[in-house]
Amino acid sequence: MSGNKLEYRKLNDPALGWLLGRVFRLWRSAITKTVSPMGMTEARWSVLMNLKTLGEGTSQHMLASELGIEMASLSRTVNQLVTLNLVERRVHPNDGRCHCLWFTSTGRECMQTLSGGVDLVRCELTKDVSAEELDIVFSVLKKIEHNACSMLNKDNEGGR
C-alpha cells in the first residue's frame, strides 16, 4: 500500500482469481469423472473426502462450513450417504441438537478406493510440475488463504 491508496498489483492475464477458480473446477471435474464408476457424484465424494480430512466425529455444521454449502444441501447428500451405508450420524455427546458424522465399515472400504482415484487424478494433473514448484504453489496459496481469512474475519479452517 502507498499511503491510503491501494496499489494495483498485476497478477498476470487472465486474472489470478479467475485462473484459480478454473483450475479448481477442472480438478473437481477430473475427480468426478474418475470416481463416477463408483457411483460417486461430486457432492458425495467431496463430503466423504472432507470428512476424512476433518476427521470422523466432525459435526455436520462444521462440514457444511468447510464445504461452503448450506446445511440443507449437506443434509441431502448425507442422507444419500447414510442410505448407501457409507456414513452414519451420531448425536454429539455434549449437545443433543448436534449430529456428528462417522464412516461405516463399508464407508472406510469405499474411502480406500475413492482416495486411490483422487491420488490418481492428483498425479496426472501435476505430472509435469516439479516437487519444488508444487511446494511454492502450496506456500503461495496458503498465504492467500490466510489473507482471505483475515480479511473476512474467519478462522483459517482449511489449515490442513
Side-chain angles (χ1 to χ4, degrees):
M1 282 200 263
S2 167
N4 289 337
K5 294 171 71 175
L6 294 176
E7 290 182 21
Y8 173 74
R9 292 183 67 186
K10 186 174 185 307
L11 298 174
N12 297 324
D13 209 359
L16 180 61
W18 179 87
L19 186 57
L20 285 171
R22 178 167 166 72
V23 170
F24 173 74
R25 289 186 301 275
L26 290 168
W27 195 298
R28 289 177 69 99
S29 293
I31 292 171
T32 299
K33 179 180 179 183
T34 301
V35 301
S36 66
M38 296 176 57
M40 285 290 140
T41 62
E42 184 173 327
R44 290 176 187 169
W45 71 255
S46 62
V47 166
L48 291 172
M49 291 302 293
N50 275 276
L51 178 58
K52 176 185 173 192
T53 300
L54 294 172
E56 290 185 84
T58 296
S59 71
Q60 287 189 209
H61 178 74
M62 173 64 82
L63 188 55
S65 175
E66 184 66 22
L67 288 164
I69 62 175
E70 299 291 326
M71 277 295 293
S73 296
L74 177 63
S75 292
R76 280 190 298 275
T77 302
V78 170
N79 287 341
Q80 293 170 4
L81 295 171
V82 167
T83 299
L84 293 168
N85 192 33
L86 299 177
V87 297
E88 64 182 1
R89 288 182 177 100
R90 296 184 195 165
V91 175
H92 190 282
N94 300 325
D95 184 352
R97 300 166 296 166
C98 180
H99 287 92
C100 300
L101 300 174
W102 299 82
F103 290 112
T104 63
S105 58
T106 303
R108 284 187 194 86
E109 291 172 20
C110 175
M111 283 305 300
Q112 289 180 343
T113 306
L114 180 60
S115 294
V118 170
D119 289 346
L120 179 72
V121 169
R122 183 181 299 121
C123 287
E124 186 65 23
L125 296 182
T126 61
K127 69 181 174 189
D128 297 325
V129 183
S130 71
E132 181 182 11
E133 289 171 318
L134 285 174
D135 288 344
I136 291 168
V137 168
F138 186 82
S139 176
V140 169
L141 290 175
K142 291 301 290 179
K143 288 176 184 178
I144 293 171
E145 176 194 35
H146 172 79
N147 292 341
C149 288
S150 293
M151 181 180 175
L152 298 169
N153 296 316
K154 289 185 73 170
D155 289 333
N156 194 0
E157 295 167 350
R160 336 174 222 266

